[in-house]
mmCIF file of all heavy atoms in Angstrom:
data_model
loop_
_atom_site.group_PDB
_atom_site.id
_atom_site.type_symbol
_atom_site.label_atom_id
_atom_site.label_comp_id
_atom_site.label_asym_id
_atom_site.label_seq_id
_atom_site.Cartn_x
_atom_site.Cartn_y
_atom_site.Cartn_z
ATOM 1 N N PHE A 253 31.463 34.406 40.894
ATOM 2 C CA PHE A 253 30.180 34.542 40.239
ATOM 3 C C PHE A 253 29.033 33.852 40.948
ATOM 4 O O PHE A 253 27.886 34.263 40.815
ATOM 5 C CB PHE A 253 30.256 34.004 38.813
ATOM 6 C CG PHE A 253 30.906 34.946 37.823
ATOM 7 C CD1 PHE A 253 32.251 34.820 37.533
ATOM 8 C CD2 PHE A 253 30.193 35.958 37.247
ATOM 9 C CE1 PHE A 253 32.859 35.687 36.630
ATOM 10 C CE2 PHE A 253 30.779 36.827 36.346
ATOM 11 C CZ PHE A 253 32.120 36.701 36.051
ATOM 12 N N PHE A 305 39.026 46.913 42.856
ATOM 13 C CA PHE A 305 37.987 46.613 41.862
ATOM 14 C C PHE A 305 38.597 46.310 40.479
ATOM 15 O O PHE A 305 38.034 45.564 39.686
ATOM 16 C CB PHE A 305 37.010 47.787 41.757
ATOM 17 C CG PHE A 305 36.208 48.005 43.010
ATOM 18 C CD1 PHE A 305 35.863 49.308 43.403
ATOM 19 C CD2 PHE A 305 35.828 46.953 43.813
ATOM 20 C CE1 PHE A 305 35.138 49.509 44.557
ATOM 21 C CE2 PHE A 305 35.100 47.139 44.969
ATOM 22 C CZ PHE A 305 34.758 48.460 45.352
ATOM 23 N N GLU A 308 39.701 42.734 40.665
ATOM 24 C CA GLU A 308 38.491 41.892 40.609
ATOM 25 C C GLU A 308 37.929 41.810 39.209
ATOM 26 O O GLU A 308 37.521 40.730 38.735
ATOM 27 C CB GLU A 308 37.450 42.472 41.552
ATOM 28 C CG GLU A 308 36.146 41.683 41.624
ATOM 29 C CD GLU A 308 34.922 42.578 41.527
ATOM 30 O OE1 GLU A 308 35.084 43.807 41.641
ATOM 31 O OE2 GLU A 308 33.847 42.033 41.316
ATOM 32 N N TYR A 309 37.909 42.940 38.486
ATOM 33 C CA TYR A 309 37.379 42.954 37.119
ATOM 34 C C TYR A 309 38.229 42.045 36.207
ATOM 35 O O TYR A 309 37.708 41.304 35.387
ATOM 36 C CB TYR A 309 37.368 44.372 36.583
ATOM 37 C CG TYR A 309 36.888 44.507 35.165
ATOM 38 C CD1 TYR A 309 35.564 44.296 34.835
ATOM 39 C CD2 TYR A 309 37.794 44.843 34.136
ATOM 40 C CE1 TYR A 309 35.101 44.424 33.528
ATOM 41 C CE2 TYR A 309 37.332 44.950 32.820
ATOM 42 C CZ TYR A 309 35.981 44.758 32.536
ATOM 43 O OH TYR A 309 35.550 44.872 31.232
ATOM 44 N N ILE A 310 39.552 42.134 36.372
ATOM 45 C CA ILE A 310 40.445 41.281 35.561
ATOM 46 C C ILE A 310 40.215 39.812 35.858
ATOM 47 O O ILE A 310 40.180 38.973 34.962
ATOM 48 C CB ILE A 310 41.919 41.676 35.815
ATOM 49 C CG1 ILE A 310 42.168 43.117 35.317
ATOM 50 C CG2 ILE A 310 42.859 40.710 35.109
ATOM 51 C CD1 ILE A 310 43.543 43.649 35.646
ATOM 52 N N ARG A 312 37.482 38.458 36.923
ATOM 53 C CA ARG A 312 36.196 38.085 36.327
ATOM 54 C C ARG A 312 36.352 37.710 34.851
ATOM 55 O O ARG A 312 35.751 36.753 34.335
ATOM 56 C CB ARG A 312 35.161 39.193 36.467
ATOM 57 C CG ARG A 312 34.644 39.360 37.899
ATOM 58 C CD ARG A 312 33.569 40.438 37.981
ATOM 59 N NE ARG A 312 33.095 40.614 39.338
ATOM 60 C CZ ARG A 312 32.099 39.900 39.868
ATOM 61 N NH1 ARG A 312 31.476 39.011 39.165
ATOM 62 N NH2 ARG A 312 31.739 40.099 41.120
ATOM 63 N N LEU A 313 37.191 38.462 34.130
ATOM 64 C CA LEU A 313 37.427 38.186 32.720
ATOM 65 C C LEU A 313 38.218 36.904 32.552
ATOM 66 O O LEU A 313 38.018 36.167 31.577
ATOM 67 C CB LEU A 313 38.167 39.349 32.068
ATOM 68 C CG LEU A 313 37.396 40.694 31.999
ATOM 69 C CD1 LEU A 313 38.301 41.755 31.372
ATOM 70 C CD2 LEU A 313 36.114 40.559 31.206
ATOM 71 N N VAL A 316 36.067 33.267 32.955
ATOM 72 C CA VAL A 316 34.970 32.896 32.078
ATOM 73 C C VAL A 316 35.565 32.512 30.718
ATOM 74 O O VAL A 316 36.640 33.010 30.325
ATOM 75 C CB VAL A 316 33.939 34.046 31.917
ATOM 76 C CG1 VAL A 316 33.213 34.286 33.213
ATOM 77 C CG2 VAL A 316 34.630 35.320 31.435
ATOM 78 N N ARG A 318 34.214 33.139 27.797
ATOM 79 C CA ARG A 318 33.970 34.193 26.822
ATOM 80 C C ARG A 318 34.056 35.552 27.526
ATOM 81 O O ARG A 318 33.020 36.143 27.849
ATOM 82 C CB ARG A 318 32.611 34.012 26.145
ATOM 83 C CG ARG A 318 32.504 32.770 25.284
ATOM 84 C CD ARG A 318 31.252 32.819 24.419
ATOM 85 N NE ARG A 318 31.175 31.751 23.458
ATOM 86 C CZ ARG A 318 30.508 30.619 23.644
ATOM 87 N NH1 ARG A 318 29.839 30.427 24.769
ATOM 88 N NH2 ARG A 318 30.491 29.673 22.719
ATOM 89 N N PRO A 319 35.220 36.059 27.762
ATOM 90 C CA PRO A 319 35.370 37.338 28.472
ATOM 91 C C PRO A 319 34.700 38.489 27.751
ATOM 92 O O PRO A 319 34.198 39.426 28.379
ATOM 93 C CB PRO A 319 36.888 37.528 28.559
ATOM 94 C CG PRO A 319 37.484 36.586 27.556
ATOM 95 C CD PRO A 319 36.524 35.458 27.439
ATOM 96 N N ALA A 320 34.705 38.458 26.401
ATOM 97 C CA ALA A 320 34.100 39.564 25.655
ATOM 98 C C ALA A 320 32.587 39.601 25.879
ATOM 99 O O ALA A 320 31.971 40.666 25.944
ATOM 100 C CB ALA A 320 34.414 39.420 24.147
ATOM 101 N N ALA A 321 31.974 38.404 26.022
ATOM 102 C CA ALA A 321 30.531 38.340 26.252
ATOM 103 C C ALA A 321 30.212 38.907 27.628
ATOM 104 O O ALA A 321 29.200 39.630 27.789
ATOM 105 C CB ALA A 321 30.064 36.897 26.170
ATOM 106 N N TYR A 322 31.025 38.589 28.623
ATOM 107 C CA TYR A 322 30.789 39.173 29.958
ATOM 108 C C TYR A 322 31.007 40.675 29.951
ATOM 109 O O TYR A 322 30.267 41.415 30.571
ATOM 110 C CB TYR A 322 31.690 38.521 30.990
ATOM 111 C CG TYR A 322 31.588 39.192 32.335
ATOM 112 C CD1 TYR A 322 30.440 39.010 33.121
ATOM 113 C CD2 TYR A 322 32.586 40.034 32.794
ATOM 114 C CE1 TYR A 322 30.342 39.662 34.354
ATOM 115 C CE2 TYR A 322 32.469 40.683 34.016
ATOM 116 C CZ TYR A 322 31.340 40.491 34.808
ATOM 117 O OH TYR A 322 31.221 41.152 35.958
ATOM 118 N N ALA A 323 32.043 41.117 29.257
ATOM 119 C CA ALA A 323 32.378 42.547 29.206
ATOM 120 C C ALA A 323 31.232 43.351 28.602
ATOM 121 O O ALA A 323 31.037 44.521 28.954
ATOM 122 C CB ALA A 323 33.656 42.777 28.440
ATOM 123 N N ARG A 324 30.450 42.743 27.710
ATOM 124 C CA ARG A 324 29.323 43.451 27.066
ATOM 125 C C ARG A 324 28.029 43.317 27.856
ATOM 126 O O ARG A 324 27.053 43.998 27.522
ATOM 127 C CB ARG A 324 29.117 42.900 25.666
ATOM 128 C CG ARG A 324 30.265 43.227 24.673
ATOM 129 C CD ARG A 324 29.816 42.947 23.252
ATOM 130 N NE ARG A 324 29.441 41.556 23.066
ATOM 131 C CZ ARG A 324 30.273 40.575 22.666
ATOM 132 N NH1 ARG A 324 31.551 40.903 22.407
ATOM 133 N NH2 ARG A 324 29.884 39.335 22.538
ATOM 134 N N SER A 325 28.016 42.479 28.864
ATOM 135 C CA SER A 325 26.802 42.313 29.647
ATOM 136 C C SER A 325 26.569 43.509 30.547
ATOM 137 O O SER A 325 27.440 44.356 30.723
ATOM 138 C CB SER A 325 26.875 41.036 30.499
ATOM 139 O OG SER A 325 27.890 41.157 31.481
ATOM 140 N N PHE A 326 25.396 43.604 31.188
ATOM 141 C CA PHE A 326 25.065 44.735 32.034
ATOM 142 C C PHE A 326 26.088 44.895 33.172
ATOM 143 O O PHE A 326 26.677 45.953 33.349
ATOM 144 C CB PHE A 326 23.660 44.567 32.627
ATOM 145 C CG PHE A 326 23.303 45.595 33.659
ATOM 146 C CD1 PHE A 326 22.960 46.882 33.292
ATOM 147 C CD2 PHE A 326 23.333 45.255 35.004
ATOM 148 C CE1 PHE A 326 22.660 47.853 34.241
ATOM 149 C CE2 PHE A 326 23.011 46.199 35.980
ATOM 150 C CZ PHE A 326 22.682 47.505 35.611
ATOM 151 N N PHE A 327 26.302 43.831 33.937
ATOM 152 C CA PHE A 327 27.229 43.923 35.035
ATOM 153 C C PHE A 327 28.651 44.095 34.569
ATOM 154 O O PHE A 327 29.497 44.684 35.240
ATOM 155 C CB PHE A 327 27.092 42.705 35.947
ATOM 156 C CG PHE A 327 25.956 42.778 36.938
ATOM 157 C CD1 PHE A 327 24.906 41.916 36.864
ATOM 158 C CD2 PHE A 327 25.966 43.776 37.907
ATOM 159 C CE1 PHE A 327 23.868 41.998 37.777
ATOM 160 C CE2 PHE A 327 24.892 43.884 38.818
ATOM 161 C CZ PHE A 327 23.860 42.998 38.745
ATOM 162 N N GLY A 328 29.004 43.542 33.408
ATOM 163 C CA GLY A 328 30.334 43.708 32.856
ATOM 164 C C GLY A 328 30.610 45.178 32.554
ATOM 165 O O GLY A 328 31.706 45.697 32.865
ATOM 166 N N VAL A 329 29.635 45.840 31.977
ATOM 167 C CA VAL A 329 29.779 47.293 31.685
ATOM 168 C C VAL A 329 29.839 48.101 32.973
ATOM 169 O O VAL A 329 30.664 49.032 33.114
ATOM 170 C CB VAL A 329 28.626 47.778 30.787
ATOM 171 C CG1 VAL A 329 28.657 49.285 30.627
ATOM 172 C CG2 VAL A 329 28.640 47.108 29.432
ATOM 173 N N VAL A 330 28.979 47.750 33.936
ATOM 174 C CA VAL A 330 28.972 48.474 35.224
ATOM 175 C C VAL A 330 30.305 48.296 35.943
ATOM 176 O O VAL A 330 30.861 49.220 36.516
ATOM 177 C CB VAL A 330 27.796 47.990 36.094
ATOM 178 C CG1 VAL A 330 27.945 48.566 37.521
ATOM 179 C CG2 VAL A 330 26.458 48.408 35.490
ATOM 180 N N ASP A 331 30.827 47.040 35.916
ATOM 181 C CA ASP A 331 32.125 46.783 36.563
ATOM 182 C C ASP A 331 33.254 47.633 35.938
ATOM 183 O O ASP A 331 34.124 48.117 36.654
ATOM 184 C CB ASP A 331 32.497 45.319 36.426
ATOM 185 C CG ASP A 331 31.580 44.413 37.283
ATOM 186 O OD1 ASP A 331 30.897 44.958 38.173
ATOM 187 O OD2 ASP A 331 31.535 43.199 37.040
ATOM 188 N N LEU A 332 33.197 47.810 34.633
ATOM 189 C CA LEU A 332 34.211 48.619 33.955
ATOM 190 C C LEU A 332 34.019 50.114 34.310
ATOM 191 O O LEU A 332 35.003 50.820 34.581
ATOM 192 C CB LEU A 332 34.124 48.409 32.459
ATOM 193 C CG LEU A 332 35.146 49.205 31.615
ATOM 194 C CD1 LEU A 332 36.565 48.836 32.008
ATOM 195 C CD2 LEU A 332 34.895 48.949 30.117
ATOM 196 N N LEU A 333 32.772 50.566 34.283
ATOM 197 C CA LEU A 333 32.509 51.954 34.599
ATOM 198 C C LEU A 333 32.842 52.283 36.055
ATOM 199 O O LEU A 333 33.093 53.448 36.397
ATOM 200 C CB LEU A 333 31.045 52.278 34.319
ATOM 201 C CG LEU A 333 30.590 52.267 32.860
ATOM 202 C CD1 LEU A 333 29.087 52.560 32.763
ATOM 203 C CD2 LEU A 333 31.362 53.278 32.055
ATOM 204 N N ALA A 334 32.851 51.279 36.908
ATOM 205 C CA ALA A 334 33.160 51.496 38.324
ATOM 206 C C ALA A 334 34.608 51.884 38.552
ATOM 207 O O ALA A 334 34.958 52.494 39.561
ATOM 208 C CB ALA A 334 32.803 50.270 39.126
ATOM 209 N N ILE A 335 35.485 51.494 37.651
ATOM 210 C CA ILE A 335 36.928 51.763 37.811
ATOM 211 C C ILE A 335 37.455 52.852 36.857
ATOM 212 O O ILE A 335 38.494 53.466 37.150
ATOM 213 C CB ILE A 335 37.740 50.474 37.635
ATOM 214 C CG1 ILE A 335 37.555 49.901 36.247
ATOM 215 C CG2 ILE A 335 37.383 49.456 38.700
ATOM 216 C CD1 ILE A 335 38.387 48.670 35.962
ATOM 217 N N LEU A 336 36.757 53.095 35.771
ATOM 218 C CA LEU A 336 37.245 54.056 34.787
ATOM 219 C C LEU A 336 37.349 55.497 35.335
ATOM 220 O O LEU A 336 38.349 56.166 35.026
ATOM 221 C CB LEU A 336 36.378 54.021 33.535
ATOM 222 C CG LEU A 336 36.602 52.854 32.570
ATOM 223 C CD1 LEU A 336 35.671 53.014 31.350
ATOM 224 C CD2 LEU A 336 38.060 52.785 32.135
ATOM 225 N N LEU A 356 25.697 50.780 41.456
ATOM 226 C CA LEU A 356 24.845 49.822 40.715
ATOM 227 C C LEU A 356 25.287 48.391 40.942
ATOM 228 O O LEU A 356 24.492 47.450 40.787
ATOM 229 C CB LEU A 356 24.878 50.139 39.220
ATOM 230 C CG LEU A 356 24.191 51.438 38.762
ATOM 231 C CD1 LEU A 356 24.450 51.657 37.270
ATOM 232 C CD2 LEU A 356 22.719 51.358 39.044
ATOM 233 N N ARG A 357 26.547 48.186 41.330
ATOM 234 C CA ARG A 357 27.045 46.860 41.564
ATOM 235 C C ARG A 357 26.390 46.203 42.807
ATOM 236 O O ARG A 357 26.414 44.988 42.954
ATOM 237 C CB ARG A 357 28.551 46.862 41.730
ATOM 238 C CG ARG A 357 29.299 47.557 40.600
ATOM 239 C CD ARG A 357 30.797 47.381 40.738
ATOM 240 N NE ARG A 357 31.191 46.000 40.477
ATOM 241 C CZ ARG A 357 32.371 45.488 40.935
ATOM 242 N NH1 ARG A 357 33.174 46.229 41.630
ATOM 243 N NH2 ARG A 357 32.648 44.238 40.669
ATOM 244 N N ARG A 360 23.870 43.159 42.993
ATOM 245 C CA ARG A 360 24.212 41.764 43.180
ATOM 246 C C ARG A 360 23.708 41.222 44.509
ATOM 247 O O ARG A 360 23.713 40.016 44.746
ATOM 248 C CB ARG A 360 25.724 41.584 43.112
ATOM 249 C CG ARG A 360 26.300 41.672 41.700
ATOM 250 C CD ARG A 360 27.748 41.192 41.692
ATOM 251 N NE ARG A 360 28.284 41.063 40.351
ATOM 252 C CZ ARG A 360 28.936 42.003 39.695
ATOM 253 N NH1 ARG A 360 29.126 43.185 40.278
ATOM 254 N NH2 ARG A 360 29.363 41.812 38.463
ATOM 255 N N CYS A 485 30.078 33.193 29.893
ATOM 256 C CA CYS A 485 29.855 34.647 29.697
ATOM 257 C C CYS A 485 29.544 35.385 30.990
ATOM 258 O O CYS A 485 29.469 36.625 31.012
ATOM 259 C CB CYS A 485 28.740 34.884 28.692
ATOM 260 S SG CYS A 485 27.102 34.275 29.207
ATOM 261 N N GLY A 486 29.324 34.642 32.075
ATOM 262 C CA GLY A 486 29.105 35.282 33.372
ATOM 263 C C GLY A 486 27.726 35.865 33.588
ATOM 264 O O GLY A 486 27.464 36.457 34.629
ATOM 265 N N ARG A 487 26.794 35.641 32.682
ATOM 266 C CA ARG A 487 25.467 36.210 32.791
ATOM 267 C C ARG A 487 24.561 35.243 33.569
ATOM 268 O O ARG A 487 24.702 34.020 33.487
ATOM 269 C CB ARG A 487 24.885 36.507 31.416
ATOM 270 C CG ARG A 487 25.751 37.496 30.628
ATOM 271 C CD ARG A 487 25.217 37.765 29.255
ATOM 272 N NE ARG A 487 24.013 38.571 29.265
ATOM 273 C CZ ARG A 487 23.408 39.041 28.177
ATOM 274 N NH1 ARG A 487 23.955 38.747 26.962
ATOM 275 N NH2 ARG A 487 22.339 39.767 28.237
ATOM 276 N N ASP A 488 23.609 35.821 34.307
ATOM 277 C CA ASP A 488 22.702 35.003 35.102
ATOM 278 C C ASP A 488 21.265 35.221 34.652
ATOM 279 O O ASP A 488 21.038 35.758 33.576
ATOM 280 C CB ASP A 488 22.857 35.306 36.576
ATOM 281 C CG ASP A 488 22.691 36.798 36.885
ATOM 282 O OD1 ASP A 488 22.227 37.522 36.006
ATOM 283 O OD2 ASP A 488 23.050 37.209 37.996
#
Side-chain angles (χ1 to χ4, degrees):
F253 282 97
F305 295 145
E308 180 227 348
Y309 178 71
I310 294 174
R312 286 182 181 274
L313 295 178
V316 293
R318 293 192 174 97
Y322 173 73
R324 293 193 300 267
S325 66
F326 172 77
F327 277 116
V329 173
V330 171
D331 290 344
L332 180 60
L333 292 178
I335 60 177
L336 283 182
L356 291 174
R357 307 187 70 201
R360 285 191 171 94
C485 65
R487 302 178 71 175
D488 54 14

